[in-house]
Amino acid sequence: MHPHRRETQLAAITVAVSLAAAALVLEGVARLFFRNEVDTAALREAAAAPSVVPFVRRVADPDLLYDLEPGARVLGWGGIRIEVDPSGCCRVIPGRRADEKGELRVAILGDSTPFGWKVPFEQSYGEQLRPLLERALRRTVALRNFAVPGYNSQQNRITLRDKVLPWRPHLVILHYDHNDSEPIDDASARFLYPEYGDNALHSALIKLARRRWRRLGGVRTTFVADADPARPEKSLQGYRYAGPQWEHHFEELRALAGLAAAARVPVIAFIWDPWLKRNDDPGSDPFYTLLHRPAAERLGAMGLHVADSYGLYQDYMRRGGRKDLAALWVSAADAHPNAEGHRLIARYLLGEALRQLRGARPRIAR
């Protein structure tokens, strides 16, 4: 063999061996120091944590940021199963599809509370409301829960336009949370399933590279209003009640109300608040004077039918001799409603919904 060719081959072998050695070293580094990013068992354990939202996906719409992952099936929250309809419209009872047939159609719009955070979907207030409506009206009711954890007023408006109204509901229940004025980022939507990046070589390095590449692009946020010295942002225990971002929030709700009015669909705006304390004088309660009353007045002026939980919860605390609403929380550290909390909401909304649905004519789906 020509000496020059032999030297070229030896050089190529040396390079190949060096690259292989480097790959083995990097593989070891990935397995040893990045276990939480590549080990499927560790990722599955992390995915079960309530702070992770593994049933959503990023979307191209810069104003929506994320929505539900079509067909997602996730076991989380201590064994509670979360399933999304294959169409991606909404959370469903495990093993079932989204409601289609029904003389009347009811849609729920909102965030993690109506979604049924940390409770089986059967216990969410929408699912408890459906049979109550059917018994009271003696008509079948199709109810779809379009709520997505973390959604704000802007995302609710887009969901109403793109998903809810095309379903042609007879009634929409808008779950109004005092944090709906917050800009929402899509950090949770960048969640990757534990198996994402698995490969035939069982390489941790390849899996790490694929997962890191997928997450490139940074976190986006929905609209954030410019600061205005003449109208500073004001908040009560973290909830805005004045300022540019708060005004933008109501601009979105006004647009939402306009879409519903154009489609001739009544909307019940249910104002929810789990942090209320017992107070027999609403006029002395800043939660009422700064948050509930202004929101109810604005929503009512938009033509929405307002159902404010303030009176409901004050009555609940008064009758039970309670000072707060902790008995309705899923845990001492999480104020999302438990089964009883959802049941109370469902019974309260029953009367409001009946007033809107009585006399409604069945529609033929197109």
Side-chain angles (χ1 to χ4, degrees):
M1 180 180 293
H2 193 280
H4 180 68
R5 179 176 297 177
R6 181 179 298 174
E7 291 177 1
T8 302
Q9 289 181 342
L10 288 174
I13 292 173
T14 300
V15 171
V17 170
S18 299
L19 290 174
L24 287 174
V25 171
L26 292 173
E27 179 71 20
V29 169
R31 291 176 181 271
L32 182 61
F33 296 102
F34 297 91
R35 177 178 176 274
N36 290 337
E37 292 190 54
V38 297
D39 184 85
T40 301
L43 289 168
R44 284 174 179 162
E45 184 178 350
S51 60
V52 178
V53 186
F55 38 80
V56 298
R57 62 176 183 177
R58 294 181 70 163
V59 296
D61 187 337
D63 294 324
L64 187 63
L65 302 185
Y66 64 93
D67 65 6
L68 296 177
E69 178 74 41
R73 295 184 177 182
V74 177
L75 195 62
W77 302 331
I80 295 174
R81 184 164 294 280
I82 305 138
E83 293 192 8
V84 178
D85 187 76
S87 69
C89 71
C90 39
R91 185 181 177 186
V92 293
I93 294 175
R96 298 189 189 178
R97 299 287 293 270
D99 274 0
E100 189 59 48
K101 296 181 180 179
E103 296 175 87
L104 297 172
R105 297 184 178 194
V106 177
I108 294 179
L109 193 61
D111 55 14
S112 55
T113 295
F115 182 83
W117 190 256
K118 290 188 182 180
V119 298
F121 192 54
E122 298 91 324
Q123 294 179 3
S124 64
Y125 70 71
E127 290 303 306
Q128 296 196 55
L129 175 62
R130 180 212 319 267
L132 297 177
L133 287 172
E134 290 186 324
R135 284 197 293 270
L137 294 168
R138 296 185 180 181
R139 299 167 74 176
T140 57
V141 175
L143 187 144
R144 285 192 178 184
N145 191 331
F146 293 87
V148 178
Y151 266 19
N152 63 6
S153 52
Q154 176 172 299
Q155 292 161 308
N156 285 333
R157 186 259 304 168
I158 295 171
T159 302
L160 179 79
R161 180 193 68 193
D162 296 346
K163 292 185 177 182
V164 177
L165 292 181
W167 188 55
R168 305 183 70 241
H170 294 86
L171 174 66
V172 172
I173 297 174
L174 170 67
H175 183 96
Y176 179 99
D177 194 310
H178 294 299
N179 64 12
D180 286 345
S181 64
E182 291 295 318
I184 305 298
D185 67 46
D186 66 344
S188 61
R190 296 187 299 159
F191 174 86
L192 300 178
Y193 285 92
E195 295 78 14
Y196 185 85
D198 285 349
N199 54 86
L201 298 176
H202 302 286
S203 168
L205 181 61
I206 293 175
K207 183 170 184 175
L208 178 64
R210 289 187 63 188
R211 293 176 74 87
R212 287 290 185 91
W213 178 261
R214 179 69 179 271
R215 285 200 170 100
L216 288 177
V219 177
R220 300 170 295 167
T221 58
T222 58
F223 177 90
V224 179
D226 294 331
D228 184 351
R231 298 181 303 156
E233 296 283 355
K234 297 181 181 179
S235 63
L236 174 66
Q237 295 187 21
Y239 290 135
R240 284 186 177 87
Y241 65 87
Q245 187 70 33
W246 195 69
E247 293 297 337
H248 173 73
H249 155 63
F250 279 103
E251 289 173 7
E252 290 289 349
L253 291 171
R254 191 173 296 106
L256 182 153
L259 290 170
R264 297 183 179 180
V265 177
V267 177
I268 295 173
F270 171 60
I271 304 176
W272 180 70
D273 190 342
W275 302 105
L276 295 174
K277 305 288 186 180
R278 182 174 171 179
N279 192 317
D280 295 327
D281 178 17
S284 67
D285 187 351
F287 267 83
Y288 179 74
T289 59
L290 298 178
L291 295 174
H292 284 260
R293 185 172 63 192
E297 290 174 351
R298 287 198 176 206
L299 293 168
M302 296 173 192
L304 304 183
H305 306 277
V306 180
D308 188 355
S309 68
Y310 189 89
L312 167 72
Y313 286 146
Q314 289 297 336
D315 183 61
Y316 169 82
M317 289 184 281
R318 192 177 302 111
R319 285 186 289 105
R322 299 179 175 89
K323 295 181 179 180
D324 57 33
L325 299 172
L328 301 178
W329 298 356
V330 292
S331 72
D334 192 331
H336 284 92
N338 55 24
E340 182 184 354
H342 280 281
R343 187 178 305 112
L344 184 65
I345 295 172
R347 290 174 176 170
Y348 174 61
L349 289 176
L350 174 63
E352 302 295 326
L354 288 176
R355 279 189 277 275
Q356 304 304 321
L357 288 173
R358 282 198 167 108
R361 296 180 179 179
R363 295 176 180 173
I364 300 175
R366 294 179 180 176

